[in-house]
Amino acid sequence: MALSTSNSQSIDLIQDNLYTESTPSKFVLEDKQKFIDQAKQIQEQFKKELQGAGDAAGRIHLKKVLRGWTLPWVDVELDESVIYDNALDPDGSIVSNNPIIQSIIETADKVRADGVEVWVNIGIGGSDLPTQALVSSTINSQHNNLSKEKRGGAPEIYFIGNDFSPEKVIDLLTSLRDRGLLLKTKFNVVSKSGATQETLAAFLITRSVLAEELKKTGVKPILLEDGSEYYKTGQFFVATTGLNEKSVLFQLNQKTYGSEKESDEFYAMLPVPDGTGGRFSAFSPVGLLALAVTANSNLGESPKSRIDDVMNGIKDVIRDTLELPIEDENNIAFQAAMNHVIAEKEKGKSLLIMIVYDPLMKQVGDIAQQLYSESVQKFGQGLDFLSIVGSEKMHSIWNGAVEGTGAERDLVLFVGTKTTEESRNPVIPKGSGISGKEIVSMEGLNLSTVQQASLQGVAADATERGILNYTLLLPERNVRQVARFIYLFQTIVAVEGKLRGLEKEKAEDGSYKDYTYLQDGVEGYKVQTREILSKMKQRK
């Protein structure tokens, strides 16, 4: 199997600071040699599994052994699944060949053609963070304050249902109503089961407020058997959910009302892939729909072009991970995974701090944190993970790290970008008349240069203080590179899970239960919440 050589710029891996003599717990070359043979076996396994995805039996096996790590659309109907070779064709044939990808583009095109003014994502965890990471880092930082013309036809975008905050939900709905936009908004409810409490609460409140607004406009309701009135609000909702009876949203879409058995179907329904945990769902309808909807035509973007860019970013990672030798520093997935395991098992580290040196990529750090914490921390192992924004947190969390136990406790991963669009990269003026080395050192430089210098400065300071650290630098922040980074981190987690032995319990069909893709720990608080709510209702 040979993949076409990419001509895209690469993500730079800088790990010299792991080997610096001044660091007491420094890496030595022999550290990685301990894991090379195991890593090579994992690489060969990945190749074998993906090569076998060209037929139905191969895809069934693929879903069982790789699940979320691999291309998530292998979970569509097997006779319609795109095969591995097509998925990697440079002509973008995956977009035309795959029915789920095509449905994302068609829905996004319809949203824009229908003149939708606002898009609201209702979801939590893996039904929220992947979307925020992809969208927030690839649109203008003032997107919602721009005119629709300046946004290139994209709607405003907001996120709710990711907590139980009453103010966030009602303040947004009230604002949209007061601006005359409530009935020009589409709400995308993202939940595989449809029953996630935070999401469901926001959905039901939104539906109630919409019904009240429809009543004010004189829309005729459906009279129900109990004498109450029902206003059809389905037209305002997209449901990204399981397309089966297990999903509350799917059931709701099938429901009829009144003596005439009228339906109230959603504006659109798209699937959450089977066998794919929420944190691995960025490149399914969960993350891609909002990304496609927010295309800016002024920048030459369309829903399809943004999806194409995502596919190319994914292909970059697959090519580097499967084709490059494990020892090659451009094989970042294996190199980073080994860094983390060595830091914990060989050097006694317990905390991985990701410092995202680009505030517009904060949510990318958040999804990386979820990916790592929910996937790798199992059976009493795995580094604690903390994602922060530099230089914003230098005066708080970082100060505590360097003056506290950072040298004994921490492995630091810096994430930055190498270039910024020139038109959005202002220069600090010269001749300010302000004296002092702080301003003199910056005068005449653009802000991205200062930002990069700050990143390098923190890394150098960490090294001098004996704190292990390494750096990943994206060529730039755009759809392809952001998708590439998110998929890279999914792959790092997949590799690290295997290095740590999280693939266990061989099944009858020869596959293994891989705990990397399970997240049982999060269920406890949900059970406790339901029980407490039941007691509260009884007391009333």
Side-chain angles (χ1 to χ4, degrees):
M1 175 187 62
L3 311 185
S4 58
T5 303
S6 170
N7 58 8
S8 65
Q9 296 172 289
S10 64
I11 295 177
D12 289 350
L13 169 64
I14 304 169
Q15 48 187 354
D16 294 347
N17 289 348
L18 295 173
Y19 298 88
T20 302
E21 289 291 335
S22 61
T23 305
S25 55
K26 67 173 182 173
F27 282 28
V28 293
L29 294 178
E30 290 75 19
D31 285 326
K32 285 189 177 176
Q33 288 301 318
K34 296 178 183 178
F35 296 93
I36 290 296
D37 288 343
Q38 184 185 1
K40 287 180 179 178
Q41 291 175 6
I42 294 169
Q43 186 185 51
E44 287 304 311
Q45 179 186 349
F46 282 165
K47 286 182 181 181
K48 181 180 178 181
E49 304 294 356
L50 285 175
Q51 285 173 323
D55 56 40
R59 286 191 293 274
I60 291 173
H61 182 62
L62 180 64
K63 286 194 289 184
K64 291 178 179 176
V65 295
L66 290 186
R67 301 185 66 180
W69 173 77
T70 190
L71 303 175
W73 37 89
V74 298
D75 291 311
V76 304
E77 291 298 324
L78 291 176
D79 60 347
E80 294 180 317
S81 290
V82 63
I83 66 170
Y84 177 55
D85 290 338
N86 282 345
L88 295 176
D89 277 352
D91 63 0
S93 62
I94 186 168
V95 172
S96 60
N97 285 356
N98 184 268
I100 289 186
I101 299 297
Q102 192 59 42
S103 69
I104 294 170
I105 296 170
E106 290 172 355
T107 302
D109 284 337
K110 186 174 188 298
V111 167
R112 295 165 67 90
D114 287 348
V116 173
E117 296 290 339
V118 181
W119 182 268
V120 179
N121 195 82
I122 304 179
I124 187 172
S127 298
D128 169 63
L129 283 177
T131 308
Q132 288 211 49
L134 280 170
V135 174
S136 299
S137 57
T138 59
I139 58 176
N140 190 289
S141 65
Q142 299 299 309
H143 178 89
N144 290 339
N145 294 324
L146 300 176
S147 67
K148 193 170 186 179
E149 181 182 5
K150 290 288 187 180
R151 298 194 303 266
E156 298 175 19
I157 184 165
Y158 301 94
F159 298 87
I160 59 173
N162 46 21
D163 50 44
F164 286 116
S165 168
E167 294 90 350
K168 276 178 63 178
V169 174
I170 201 62
D171 288 353
L172 175 61
L173 297 175
T174 301
S175 171
L176 294 176
R177 182 198 63 199
D178 293 347
R179 294 167 61 203
L181 296 177
L182 184 61
L183 300 183
K184 299 177 182 178
T185 299
K186 298 300 179 194
F187 298 86
N188 184 23
V189 188
V190 188
S191 172
K192 186 172 186 178
S193 68
T196 309
Q197 284 186 305
E198 293 89 343
T199 303
L200 189 58
F203 164 62
L204 293 175
I205 291 168
T206 300
R207 190 172 69 162
S208 175
V209 171
L210 285 166
E212 292 175 6
E213 192 69 10
L214 289 173
K215 184 176 182 179
K216 291 177 185 178
T217 64
V219 170
K220 185 178 179 180
I222 299 172
L223 185 64
L224 302 181
E225 293 180 0
D226 62 0
S228 61
E229 296 178 334
Y230 178 83
Y231 288 87
K232 297 171 71 170
T233 59
Q235 62 183 306
F236 300 102
F237 292 100
V238 174
T240 304
T241 187
L243 299 187
N244 53 58
E245 293 294 336
K246 295 179 182 179
S247 165
V248 172
L249 296 172
F250 181 85
Q251 295 175 31
L252 196 60
N253 197 56
Q254 307 296 311
K255 194 172 180 180
T256 58
Y257 302 86
S259 59
E260 299 296 323
K261 302 296 183 184
E262 296 184 50
S263 64
D264 186 21
E265 294 183 350
F266 295 131
Y267 180 81
M269 290 191 72
L270 293 108
V272 175
D274 290 334
T276 301
R279 60 196 181 280
F280 289 95
S281 64
F283 307 114
S284 74
V286 172
L288 294 183
L289 180 55
L291 181 77
V293 164
T294 51
N296 188 331
S297 62
N298 296 326
L299 303 177
E301 294 180 339
S302 68
K304 182 180 183 300
S305 75
R306 278 166 84 83
I307 300 296
D308 282 341
D309 286 343
V310 167
M311 300 307 155
N312 283 322
I314 289 172
K315 288 190 289 186
D316 292 338
V317 176
I318 293 175
R319 182 200 63 249
D320 292 345
T321 303
L322 300 187
E323 292 293 313
L324 296 177
I326 300 298
E327 299 87 347
D328 192 320
E329 289 202 343
N330 289 311
N331 194 332
I332 299 174
F334 278 94
Q335 288 286 319
M338 288 190 290
N339 286 345
H340 302 161
V341 175
I342 292 167
E344 180 182 7
K345 293 187 176 297
E346 304 292 330
K347 308 301 176 183
K349 306 306 177 185
S350 61
L351 177 64
L352 173 57
I353 303 178
M354 174 183 280
I355 303 182
V356 182
Y357 240 90
D358 183 342
L360 300 187
M361 287 182 62
K362 176 185 181 300
Q363 287 80 8
V364 175
D366 291 342
I367 187 57
Q369 179 170 279
Q370 185 188 12
L371 276 163
Y372 194 90
S373 298
E374 284 193 342
S375 303
V376 172
Q377 290 188 292
K378 305 284 171 69
F379 307 110
Q381 66 171 311
L383 296 160
D384 290 328
F385 193 109
L386 176 64
S387 175
I388 64 175
V389 175
S391 56
E392 174 187 322
K393 298 299 183 182
M394 296 302 100
H395 292 268
S396 54
I397 293 172
W398 184 248
N399 187 81
V402 297
E403 295 197 339
T405 58
E408 295 79 27
R409 179 195 63 191
D410 299 345
L411 169 66
V412 179
L413 166 56
F414 294 99
V415 178
T417 50
K418 289 185 278 188
T419 60
T420 301
E421 182 184 338
E422 187 174 349
S423 63
R424 299 171 63 197
N425 192 12
V427 173
I428 300 171
K430 296 180 179 180
S432 65
I434 302 173
S435 59
K437 56 187 177 182
E438 289 81 7
I439 186 62
V440 171
S441 64
M442 296 190 299
E443 283 184 332
L445 300 176
N446 56 44
L447 275 179
S448 70
T449 300
V450 178
Q451 182 170 261
Q452 291 170 26
S454 181
L455 185 158
Q456 294 173 29
V458 178
D461 181 51
T463 303
E464 284 189 7
R465 294 174 184 268
I467 298 176
L468 287 174
N469 65 93
Y470 75 104
T471 300
L472 292 175
L473 291 178
L474 282 68
E476 54 189 321
R477 181 176 22 80
N478 57 27
V479 173
R480 178 171 182 165
Q481 297 302 338
V482 169
R484 184 179 187 177
F485 182 84
I486 295 172
Y487 196 69
L488 172 62
F489 220 84
Q490 289 184 11
T491 310
I492 291 170
V493 164
V495 172
E496 190 167 339
K498 292 186 183 299
L499 286 173
R500 290 178 177 275
L502 298 185
E503 187 180 56
K504 302 174 183 285
E505 299 180 15
K506 190 172 183 179
E508 292 181 1
D509 64 359
S511 65
Y512 288 80
K513 185 175 183 179
D514 195 333
Y515 285 88
T516 309
Y517 303 105
L518 303 180
Q519 55 185 69
D520 297 336
V522 76
E523 298 304 316
Y525 94 89
K526 298 179 182 179
V527 173
Q528 294 287 351
T529 300
R530 288 194 296 268
E531 291 178 357
I532 292 169
L533 286 172
S534 297
K535 293 176 182 178
M536 288 178 171
K537 292 185 75 173
Q538 290 172 5
R539 287 198 292 267
K540 289 187 176 181

